[in-house]
Each structure stands twice: as C-alpha cells, then as structure tokens.
Amino acid sequence: MRALDAVAAERAGDAVLSVRDLTVRFRLRGGRTVAAVTDADFDLAAGECLALVGESGCGKSVLASALLGLLPANAETSGTALLAAPEGSTGAVDLLAADEKTLARTVRGRRVGLVPQSPAAHLTPVRTVRSQLEETVRALTGTSRRERGKAAEDAAARAAFPAGHLDRYPHELSGGLAQRAATALALIGDARLLLADEPTTGLDRDLVDRTVDELRRHADDGRGLLLITHDLAAAERIADRVAVMYAGRIVEIAPAHRFFGPPGPRHPYARGLLDALPDRAFTPIPGMPPELSALPEGCAFAPRCPAATELCATRPAFTAGVACHHPERPRA
C-alpha cells in the first residue's frame, strides 16, 4: 500500500482507465427498472490498485461486467469508459461503445484481463487446466509448444496453483483451486488492465495474501488493477486507493492509508464497514440495503444512518471525495 497521496497525482496523466458517468439499468418485465450502477466516476492510473468495496448486491460486479461488455441483453448502459491505447500506439477504446467483435478480438484477455467471481463458469469443463493455460498462452503470445508449456506452469505458480493438479479437469477442483486456476489464466496475457472480481473467494488467509501480493506485483509492473472485494484486509494489504459503493453509487474515494488508518473514511457507510470488522468495533451496520428497483430520491443510506437529517431527502453531490450531506469529521 502506498504511503503518499502524491503517487496518484504523479500518475494522473497516465490513466489506464477513465470512467465517467457509467450507468447500468436492467429492464425487467412489467416495466420495472433496476438501477444497478449510477454515475460511476473514477480514474485508474498505471501502477495503481483501486479497491472497490461494498456489501453484496451494491453493483460492484455489474460495473466490471459493463467494462468487458458481458452484461445480459436487458441491460442498458450509458457514460464512457476509456481504455488507454497500448504503449507505442494511439487511439483509446471506449469500452461501453465498442462492439462485440472489438471486445472479443482486441480487448478481453489482451488489453483487459479478468479474474472472475465465478471461476467454474469461465473454465472449460472438458479440458484440463494445463491445456486451457497452454491454449491461452498460444492465443495471446503465439509462442512455440515447448515455450507454451513452461509459460503455463509459470502462470500456475504465480497464482499458487499446485503443479500436481494441472492435469485435472475443472470438476475435480475445489472452489479455491478453481479460483486459482482462473487467476492463472488472467495473468497470462500481462494485460495492461486487470479486473479482479472477488479473487480470494474460497482461499485461506495465507493463500489470500499470496494471491493479492501477486496481483499487486502485476500493478507494480506499470499496469492498472481494479480489485473488487468484500475482503477489506486484502484491500488494505495492496490498494493505493479505496472506492466505496452503496446501492449502485460510489459514495467515497480515498487514499488507502487514510481510509484504513487515521483519519479514516468520511462517509458514514464507509465508516460502518470498518467498524463491523472483528478486529475493530465489531458492530454491524443496522438495517438492510434498499432494493435497487426502488431507490429513494435522496441519500440511499439515510434510513440506516445515525446522522441523517431532513436534508438527506435530497441526493448529496460528490464533493472532495465523498457523497454525503454530513461527512464525518476525521478521527485522531
């Protein structure tokens, strides 16, 4: 984790990904609409890890799927998500406007890697892990057969996938092993942008640390890493900045060292996430998140917030890194 705010500022002009007003709506039968993501704004610099955190169902994974064009047919997107051109070339790609041919041939796996939330759905059930790794190496690098074998084994080692399991099929793997196999596949192309959607699911603490450390090394080599996670300890370990999402909106973005240490987060929801941890106050946030198909006009967190007032019936603007009418004062 970086110790200085200057890191982000120094790399602001070297953004790998620039997202503006990203909005995703799902049209349901009967005319209902689910507001899965609303007006997401953030930049991700080369060499930076941005951790996107929040409760289940807040829109984190939908945001990642939108960036890769993997949303279902009833989804409607707006906004922009500019992916910087590869080094030595020109022409950024708007991921939200790109057609399926462009995404499939030039973006997914090559310029944007994905560690999926559900690895079983991304692994071919009738092929061994080794063959899938080697095929991915061939498709992305075009190396010789001998080189493909070594590259596949190297990728497995980076993801802490045991060499003795490389010739097994996906159905023979535990959930944790399947997660590590998917991580190995994502690391092969050395994509300039890596989206890691809950990459530590099913792993014990030692493997969590090893996995996120490898993802951090991927960023340290000058690439961007968007880490989507429930695991705040993993985020604290490797993130440069933290973005907190609630009910489809990003409500706070802060440097990681300020978020996890003094002065702490300013949004009451973000503060509640930290206070709910066993090694902190171990106090759960009261109530439940709102239904995304019936969001209030004002602050969506107001019904659960001890600081809410009548002013919270109006939607707060995102100012100075936080969207709140009553941001908390920094703690010593």
Side-chain angles (χ1 to χ4, degrees), residues 227-314:
L227 174 66
I228 297 171
T229 185
H230 290 97
D231 190 339
L232 292 177
E236 183 177 10
R237 185 177 180 89
I238 69 166
D240 297 294
R241 290 186 300 147
V242 178
V244 181
M245 203 165 191
Y246 184 78
R249 290 181 179 273
I250 293 177
V251 297
E252 183 169 3
I253 299 180
H257 70 279
R258 290 190 174 184
F259 185 88
F260 291 106
R266 301 183 65 208
H267 196 283
Y269 172 67
R271 183 78 69 178
L273 286 179
L274 288 187
D275 286 345
L277 295 176
D279 60 345
R280 302 215 180 196
F282 205 26
T283 304
I285 301 173
M288 296 292 293
E291 292 290 336
L292 295 180
S293 59
L295 292 175
E297 291 293 326
C299 175
F301 187 62
R304 307 173 71 186
C305 181
T309 66
E310 293 181 0
L311 182 60
C312 300
T314 60

Side-chain angles (χ1 to χ4, degrees), residues 107-197:
V107 174
R108 297 187 196 119
R110 291 170 172 81
R111 296 175 63 180
V112 183
L114 172 67
V115 181
Q117 184 177 22
S118 302
H122 289 255
L123 296 173
T124 304
V126 296
R127 299 183 65 182
T128 65
V129 174
R130 185 191 301 275
S131 67
Q132 294 184 60
L133 290 171
E134 291 185 356
E135 174 60 22
T136 303
V137 172
R138 185 198 65 79
L140 296 181
T141 66
T143 56
S144 68
R145 187 170 185 177
R146 176 176 294 181
E147 291 173 324
R148 290 200 296 270
K150 184 179 185 307
E153 292 177 358
D154 289 345
R158 289 172 65 188
F161 187 89
H165 290 65
L166 281 170
D167 294 313
R168 294 190 176 185
Y169 292 89
H171 73 272
E172 298 176 302
L173 304 177
S174 65
L177 283 175
Q179 186 68 58
R180 282 181 270 169
T183 301
L185 285 168
L187 291 173
I188 284 174
D190 285 330
R192 195 160 181 232
L193 171 63
L194 185 62
L195 306 182
D197 190 1

